[in-house]
Amino acid sequence: MTTFETDVAAADLGAVEAFCDRWEQAWNAHDADAVAALCAEDLVYDEPALGHTAHGPDSIREFVTRMARAYPDYSFTGVGRYAEVTRRAVLVAWRFTGTFAKTGARVEFHGDDRLELGEDGLIHAYRCLYDNKFVLSQLGREG
């Protein structure tokens, strides 16, 4: 039986904040290896742009690499962090800005990352939430 203390993501707010800082810094550095290093081998990865569920750190590594090519100036600005009180999870709210390399179209939108953390301190489940149709409309595409 586990105790309430070990089941709570917010048991150590400093550790949650430090992890979220590393997550944001790795993405903003366009460092695919650093992003993947924060993910467990059994990662389940849901990202609207993929259109399917991916698995493992290699999938997120590949996605970061593709993002850096497609939006060479992309950045995420954190706008909030919300720790789950009943399990190891944190919601990271952010704002994305970037220029699509193929057309020069500027893209800006809000999203949320829901990160489920294991006892090993790594992400085991990642769900990214945003309106992909809105993103595609900024690129002049239909969703």
Side-chain angles (χ1 to χ4, degrees):
M1 182 173 179
T2 58
T3 65
F4 180 73
E5 184 100 359
T6 61
D7 286 343
V8 178
D12 184 347
L13 287 176
V16 171
E17 286 289 326
F19 184 89
C20 291
D21 287 344
R22 287 193 313 274
W23 180 249
E24 184 177 328
Q25 290 165 2
W27 275 97
N28 283 333
H30 303 193
D31 188 338
D33 290 330
V35 172
L38 298 172
C39 300
E41 286 299 319
D42 67 349
L43 174 71
V44 176
Y45 173 48
D46 288 313
E47 159 65 52
L50 290 176
H52 67 278
T53 299
H55 300 273
D58 288 342
S59 62
I60 201 164
R61 181 183 290 111
E62 180 184 325
F63 184 71
V64 174
T65 300
R66 286 187 8 229
M67 282 282 297
R69 274 191 235 123
Y71 300 91
D73 64 345
Y74 84 73
S75 68
F76 290 94
T77 303
V79 295
R81 296 172 179 169
Y82 310 93
E84 173 71 56
V85 296
T86 59
R87 59 183 159 181
R88 293 178 200 276
V90 62
L91 181 74
V92 178
W94 45 262
R95 182 145 194 83
F96 174 93
T97 57
T99 306
F100 190 51
K102 288 184 180 179
T103 65
R106 189 78 177 149
V107 176
E108 296 185 29
F109 62 97
H110 166 84
D112 299 304
D113 288 345
R114 187 177 187 290
L115 311 173
E116 291 189 29
L117 306 172
E119 289 185 27
D120 57 5
L122 299 174
I123 301 167
H124 287 259
Y126 167 81
R127 173 162 287 166
C128 185
L129 305 169
Y130 60 87
D131 185 344
N132 199 41
K133 287 184 180 184
F134 178 65
V135 174
L136 293 174
S137 73
Q138 291 182 61
L139 296 171
R141 299 180 189 170
E142 291 298 314

